[in-house]
Amino acid sequence: MFTDYAERASRLPGAVLWTKGADRTGDGAGGLVLPDGCMDLLWTEGRLLVAGPDTRAFRPGPGLRGPWAGVRFRPGAAPALLGVPACALRDQRVDLADLRPGGEVRRLTGRIDAAPDPAAALERLALRLAAEAQPEDPLVRAVAGALAAGRSVAATAEAVGLGARQLHRRSLAAFGYGPKTLARILRLQRALGLARSGVPLAETAARTGYADQAHLAREVRELAGQPVTALL
């Protein structure tokens, strides 16, 4: 069905549609998922799940071998589609039937299982959920955009017109954690993107706002659970 990991832009604005073949080792090797500020709607044969926002690296266990298809929503977008605050799903993988009526989820799962292209069928489900949901809060998008661009939490709060407590409360519901944690995770993703493109680690650290290369290394180990050289 699916082979190696692949992804493309989804028809749902801001989302990514991805697929991954089954883990044939049975131990989750090679399946490390790093925190990225996002939530995913997941399909594997016979199951629909939701991946909540991660604060640390996640490696699927033997019971989650795949194959997989997923729709990765941009930070802050999924709670409105699923009707649940992101903080309720932090660091969890939960069955969609825990969030929506079980009969409906069984029908949806069977339909995607039987589809010639399960990934496309999953994407159609995500589009339907988005069409039924309330419009995405533009303030949430502004917060995510500012933090992704490297603005400080204080500058972000001022730009969107929220006090520190209000920003924290809105962030918990939208992203699953406070703005400081989201800023750390998005900075990690920026740094890994630069480093993977060939930028030396010392320069990567300087360009992404770390005090020095050692600071970058500590953050990577804390959030990803591995040394930066192992990830690269």
Side-chain angles (χ1 to χ4, degrees):
M1 182 180 291
F2 308 130
T3 53
D4 295 333
Y5 179 85
E7 65 177 45
R8 66 166 174 81
S10 171
R11 290 186 291 145
L12 182 66
V16 170
L17 179 66
W18 59 266
T19 57
K20 184 179 185 300
D23 169 26
R24 302 190 183 282
T25 68
D27 62 1
L32 191 70
V33 179
L34 299 183
D36 58 7
C38 301
M39 294 173 60
D40 293 55
L41 177 63
L42 308 173
W43 168 87
T44 191
E45 191 169 3
R47 294 182 74 184
L48 284 169
L49 304 98
V50 175
D54 291 323
T55 59
R56 56 185 180 273
F58 172 82
R59 190 184 296 279
L64 298 174
R65 295 184 184 183
W68 291 97
V71 176
R72 182 183 309 122
F73 304 102
R74 62 185 167 207
L81 275 66
L82 300 170
V84 62
C87 54
L89 304 177
R90 184 172 52 233
D91 291 319
Q92 298 183 66
R93 271 66 180 159
V94 302
D95 284 294
L96 185 61
D98 292 339
L99 308 176
R100 299 180 71 91
E104 174 196 8
V105 174
R106 285 192 293 273
R107 288 192 298 273
L108 292 169
T109 304
R111 192 175 304 159
I112 296 174
D113 285 349
D117 184 348
L122 183 71
E123 183 180 36
R124 287 193 293 271
L125 171 58
L127 287 164
R128 196 198 87 187
L129 293 176
E132 295 172 352
Q134 294 294 318
E136 187 178 351
D137 186 348
L139 185 144
V140 168
R141 289 190 62 181
V143 169
L147 295 176
R151 299 186 72 172
S152 69
V153 173
T156 297
E158 183 177 358
V160 299
L162 292 180
R165 290 185 179 180
Q166 289 177 307
L167 177 60
H168 187 82
R169 185 171 62 252
R170 297 284 287 271
S171 295
L172 285 177
F175 310 118
Y177 24 65
K180 289 184 179 180
T181 298
L182 179 61
R184 288 179 66 204
I185 288 169
L186 295 177
R187 181 171 63 173
L188 170 72
Q189 290 292 333
R190 292 198 306 276
L192 290 176
L194 279 178
R196 285 170 176 152
S197 72
V199 177
L201 288 177
E203 183 181 348
T204 291
R207 287 172 59 178
T208 50
Y210 293 96
D212 50 29
Q213 185 175 334
H215 182 202
L216 167 62
R218 288 194 301 273
E219 284 284 281
V220 170
R221 185 177 286 277
E222 183 170 342
L223 292 171
Q226 292 190 12
V228 63
T229 50
L231 289 178
L232 299 179

